[in-house]
Amino acid sequence: MLFRWIAKRKKQKVIKNIRKHLLFFGLDSSAWSDDEFENRIVSSSQQLRKTGFSTKQASEAMMSFGNATTRTLKRLSNG
């Protein structure tokens, strides 16, 4: 029972963290339940897999996008 609680708590923390990142990019996921959120993640992963990109390639692309967005926001805030 304790291990299930720990696993559930860990999953909740991961979902909360992903929600924060999505909100940073303008996507409000607060209307989605945790189960619906998890299903959307699984669905997105399946769609990504169909593109032929590896997990590493997709991760690098998302990281690049995030870095570019951060640089742009810093530039805009500095005038």
Side-chain angles (χ1 to χ4, degrees), residues 35-49:
D35 289 337
E36 185 178 7
F37 191 81
E38 186 177 354
N39 289 336
R40 288 176 184 257
I41 291 171
V42 170
S43 175
S44 298
S45 299
Q46 291 169 345
Q47 293 298 320
L48 182 63
R49 201 173 305 125

Side-chain angles (χ1 to χ4, degrees), residues 11-21 34 37:
K11 185 169 81 170
Q12 288 172 333
K13 283 184 175 184
V14 169
I15 289 174
K16 184 177 179 181
N17 192 26
I18 294 172
R19 285 182 192 268
K20 283 184 198 175
H21 284 86
D34 284 354
F37 191 81

Side-chain angles (χ1 to χ4, degrees), residues 4-66:
R4 272 191 262 164
W5 180 84
I6 291 171
K8 183 178 180 182
R9 182 75 178 134
K10 193 173 192 178
K11 185 169 81 170
Q12 288 172 333
K13 283 184 175 184
V14 169
I15 289 174
K16 184 177 179 181
N17 192 26
I18 294 172
R19 285 182 192 268
K20 283 184 198 175
H21 284 86
L22 290 175
L23 190 57
F24 175 79
F25 288 108
L27 178 64
D28 182 11
S29 62
S30 61
W32 306 337
S33 69
D34 284 354
D35 289 337
E36 185 178 7
F37 191 81
E38 186 177 354
N39 289 336
R40 288 176 184 257
I41 291 171
V42 170
S43 175
S44 298
S45 299
Q46 291 169 345
Q47 293 298 320
L48 182 63
R49 201 173 305 125
K50 289 178 184 178
T51 66
F53 283 100
S54 69
T55 304
K56 183 178 179 182
Q57 290 169 321
S59 175
E60 289 171 351
M62 291 300 288
M63 182 65 78
S64 177
F65 175 72

